[in-house]
Amino acid sequence: MMQTCCIHQSFSFPHRSIPRSDASISIKPPKLCQVGFNGKTRSCGISSLIRQRRLYVNLNANNDNHPSMSMLEEETSTENSASTQEAELPFSNWSPSKYIWRGLSVPIIAGQVVLRILKGKIHWRNTLQQLERTGPKSLGVCLLTSTFVGMAFTIQFVREFTRLGLNRSIGGVLALAFSRELSPVITSIVVAGRMGSAFAAELGTMQVSEQTDTLRVLGADPIDYLITPRVIASCLALPFLTLMCFTVGMASSALLSDAVYGISINIIMDSAHRALRPWDIISAMIKSQVFGAIISVISCSWGVTTTGGAKGVGESTTSAVVMSLVGIFIADFVLSSFFFQGAGDSLKNCV
């Protein structure tokens, strides 16, 4: 409470001065309350009640030089003028959802990676480390998956084609299915589950712990040091993994056909040789390279846009794998419709 002193003197006396005993007591209005969400403040108007007491000195009616005093108490209610907010611009408080700005970050990061590669700004040491992780260390699980997928498809094809008397077409059908679709898609799914999640988790942890900001302070660009090596490693490793998975898948199919259904390995291999074209292998490697770019760019984009601590890292990892798989399936449809349009005649030679 702040007290202020003031005097309201109605008359002046020539021989005596009246002491200034008038006092006015006022209550200082409280300050505006600030309510903030996400760093934004909002002022709340509070009506304040001000009570004033004024002491008046008047000359007595008898004129005996004895002044009479009267006190007048006033109460005024004032509304805080700051309660009225300034007019805000439209969409000033709107912020895009996480999926929107994450989706926008994907082409931005992809463009920056392409520019770094064209300019030769490549951190070769990190690139070789990521290439080792994505290639040799992922080879075992990819080959194991391809082996069992090949045997499962062999059971389905051999049973049906044997009843139709098309034993010489089994190898060609399996070769076309593995080269055009199964090998690149299965390999990419395994790599997305293994390396895509690792990329998102690593970069997400670095982001929430402010290690990427430390790199910028030290003068290192996170795009050059973290993202570009992972993209290059994925694009280089996946074509070779796809080729190895195709070879192992065909070998497991031929062995199962010979051991269980009595169809010679030579028949399977000869039929596959007649049906395959060089473009089938090239298209498989092109597909896997595109899939590798999709996996690495999406995973790295989701990693560097992670917020929310450990929970945010887990959500980014899961979302990165899911979005990578969706991107793989969409790209597979687009590339297949572009590469293999019209009627094919690959199986004519093996009937």
Side-chain angles (χ1 to χ4, degrees), residues 234-307:
S234 299
C235 294
L236 293 179
L238 269 175
F240 293 99
L241 290 176
T242 300
L243 188 59
M244 294 293 295
C245 290
F246 168 74
T247 304
V248 173
M250 286 300 302
S252 62
S253 300
L255 291 174
L256 183 64
S257 300
D258 189 15
V260 177
Y261 297 98
I263 301 175
S264 175
I265 297 178
N266 295 328
I267 296 176
I268 299 294
M269 293 294 105
D270 182 67
S271 176
H273 178 71
R274 291 175 180 272
L276 282 178
R277 298 289 186 272
W279 176 245
D280 296 326
I281 304 298
I282 295 174
S283 64
M285 299 185 73
I286 293 174
K287 277 187 175 184
S288 59
Q289 196 167 23
V290 173
F291 296 160
I294 291 173
I295 293 169
S296 56
V297 171
I298 290 179
S299 300
C300 293
S301 300
W302 258 242
V304 297
T305 55
T306 300
T307 56

